[in-house]
């Protein structure tokens, strides 16, 4: 090969792109609904990658204390790492202060933890639900870098765009005319959560298999489980 052919090959060759992308979208959906004296946090258990199902039972909701439950959706490894880090910090707090961290303090800790990782963020959508010091239900939603706010209901994950309008209508009674907003009972909140996931599984292939529901009240946390669509 002479020098002219060598330079022509360089000029006509296709550049090779090399990149590093550490994240993966594992799907799944979480919902949190707050009432006067309770909070319901629900999530499915399917973990997927594209059209492949990695696991049919990979929990996305975790009991953090007797007054708080955290649910996340997105990159499963980041979500689990975030839960482990928060659990460790809460244990240190309990040993130092001889009491459990309140949900408002946990929300601030979670916000700080996410913000600390803002240049290499946890690839996860996070909901925190529970009851405050007065026994009133509350829901916090977070973006990946720690900005958060309190709400009455919120959906996160792959089916959030399907479920959130349903929650706005059935919980907040938005866009409903000539109807007085009734008091939200625990039974009603559970029915809404079940209906939301049952409908979402018909349209979202990344949500399904099992539904785990955490019920948080002043006297502790209870759990219920229901089957969902498996295909």
């Amino acid at each position: 090969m002479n020098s002219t052919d060598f330079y022509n090959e360089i000029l006509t060759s296709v550049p090779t792109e090399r990149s590093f992308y550490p994240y993966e979208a594992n799907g799944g959906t979480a919902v949190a609904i707050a009432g006067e004296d309770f909070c319901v946090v629900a999530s499915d258990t399917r973990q997927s990658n594209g059209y492949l199902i990695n696991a049919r039972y990979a929990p996305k909701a975790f009991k953090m204390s007797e007054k708080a439950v955290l649910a996340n959706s997105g990159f499963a490894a980041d979500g689990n790492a975030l839960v482990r880090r928060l659990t460790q910090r809460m244990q240190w707090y309990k040993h130092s202060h001889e009491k459990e961290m309140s949900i408002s303090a946990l929300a601030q800790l979670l916000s700080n933890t996410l913000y600390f990782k803002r240049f290499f963020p946890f690839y996860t959508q996070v909901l925190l639900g529970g009851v405050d010091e007065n026994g009133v239900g509350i829901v916090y939603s977070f973006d990946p870098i720690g900005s958060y706010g309190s709400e009455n209901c919120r959906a996160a994950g792959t089916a959030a765009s399907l479920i959130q309008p349903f929650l706005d209508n059935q919980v907040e009674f938005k866009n409903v005319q000539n109807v007085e907003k009734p008091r939200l009972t625990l039974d009603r909140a559970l029915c809404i959560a079940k209906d939301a996931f049952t409908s979402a599984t018909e349209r979202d292939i990344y949500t399904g298999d099992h539904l785990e529901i955490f019920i948080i009240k002043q006297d502790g946390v209870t759990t219920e489980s229901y089957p969902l669509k498996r295909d």
Side-chain angles (χ1 to χ4, degrees):
M1 178 184 295
N2 57 38
S3 60
T4 303
D5 293 336
F6 176 76
Y7 286 115
N8 287 337
E9 183 177 350
I10 293 177
L11 293 175
T12 58
S13 62
V14 178
T16 301
E17 179 182 358
R18 305 189 185 280
S19 61
F20 171 66
Y21 190 74
Y23 298 120
E24 186 175 276
N26 295 127
T29 305
V31 166
I33 303 171
E36 289 183 0
D37 58 352
F38 68 88
C39 184
V40 171
V41 178
S43 68
D44 74 305
T45 63
R46 177 176 295 179
Q47 184 190 116
S48 57
N49 180 16
Y51 293 109
L52 301 177
I53 296 177
N54 297 333
R56 293 193 181 275
Y57 186 75
K60 300 177 183 68
F62 305 90
K63 176 182 173 182
M64 306 302 294
S65 70
E66 292 299 325
K67 302 290 180 64
V69 171
L70 182 146
N72 60 62
S73 176
F75 184 25
D78 273 1
N80 293 335
L82 177 61
V83 170
R84 287 196 300 270
R85 181 174 297 189
L86 291 174
T87 300
Q88 184 182 55
R89 294 292 301 274
M90 292 179 70
Q91 289 175 346
W92 292 349
Y93 181 93
K94 188 173 182 178
H95 292 321
S96 299
H97 301 277
E98 297 183 353
K99 65 176 183 179
E100 285 193 336
M101 187 179 293
S102 67
I103 189 169
S104 58
L106 177 55
Q108 185 63 62
L109 172 63
L110 177 53
S111 175
N112 294 345
T113 303
L114 293 171
Y115 185 73
F116 178 77
K117 285 268 293 178
R118 65 193 180 277
F119 297 116
F120 194 179
F122 288 109
Y123 187 57
T124 180
Q125 300 178 50
V126 183
L127 299 178
L128 180 65
V131 292
D132 62 15
E133 296 87 343
N134 300 316
V136 178
I138 191 167
V139 171
Y140 294 100
S141 61
F142 298 78
D143 74 359
I145 58 171
S147 179
Y148 74 105
S150 61
E151 303 176 78
N152 291 324
C153 59
R154 175 59 61 180
T158 53
S161 60
L162 301 174
I163 294 178
Q164 189 60 51
F166 177 69
L167 296 179
D168 290 340
N169 180 266
Q170 295 296 306
V171 177
E172 299 286 6
F173 278 78
K174 294 181 179 179
N175 302 317
V176 178
Q177 297 180 350
N178 303 321
V179 175
E180 184 177 350
K181 181 179 177 181
R183 175 180 176 272
L184 181 65
T185 64
L186 176 57
D187 290 339
R188 176 63 177 160
L190 291 173
C191 288
I192 291 172
K194 294 174 190 175
D195 289 346
F197 276 90
T198 301
S199 300
T201 56
E202 298 292 336
R203 295 288 184 178
D204 180 33
I205 63 173
Y206 305 112
T207 301
D209 293 317
H210 296 90
L211 172 62
E212 287 191 334
I213 300 179
F214 289 79
I215 304 169
I216 309 102
K217 302 179 75 174
Q218 186 71 6
D219 55 357
V221 180
T222 57
T223 309
E224 298 180 2
S225 181
Y226 301 93
L228 289 175
K229 192 179 180 69
R230 293 176 59 85
D231 54 6

